[in-house]
Amino acid sequence: MTISSEPGSHTAETVAQEVQQFLERRTKQTWDPDTDLFSSGAVSSMFAMELVVHLESTFDVVITGPDLALDNFRTVNAMTAMVLRLRGAQP
């Protein structure tokens, strides 16, 4: 998937789709957008750092300070909302 760097080019659907594809490639599982990835036991806090790097490089965002809270990475929907917020996109 090619992701545009234009601020308005991301929708909740395109961001969620890319995040889900990344998770599926890395975990070999499919994920419901509301599944808590960490409480499922399939994803560790170390994997959260991979998610940070992936989201930053894929969506041209910088995740720092309070945005590094684990709650922003628990679900596909939480990551999607954070990316859209950081990019200033409309959900």
Side-chain angles (χ1 to χ4, degrees):
M1 170 182 279
T2 302
I3 302 294
S4 170
S5 61
E6 295 298 316
S9 65
H10 298 290
T11 65
E13 182 181 339
T14 61
V15 172
Q17 182 179 25
E18 162 51 39
V19 172
Q20 284 181 309
Q21 288 173 351
F22 175 76
L23 288 169
E24 288 175 19
R25 283 191 308 270
R26 296 292 290 125
T27 66
K28 309 293 187 232
Q29 295 182 48
T30 58
W31 296 97
D32 182 81
D34 289 318
T35 298
D36 187 325
L37 301 169
F38 296 97
S39 70
S40 74
V43 176
S44 68
S45 57
M46 285 299 290
F47 186 72
M49 292 314 298
E50 279 189 62
L51 288 169
V52 169
V53 170
H54 176 73
L55 295 175
E56 287 183 329
S57 64
T58 302
F59 298 106
D60 195 28
V61 296
V62 177
I63 303 170
T64 60
D67 290 322
L68 288 170
L70 200 57
D71 284 345
N72 287 328
F73 301 90
R74 286 194 181 282
T75 68
V76 170
N77 285 338
M79 288 183 270
T80 299
M82 178 182 62
V83 166
L84 292 175
R85 180 176 47 77
L86 291 174
R87 291 196 46 84
Q90 297 299 315

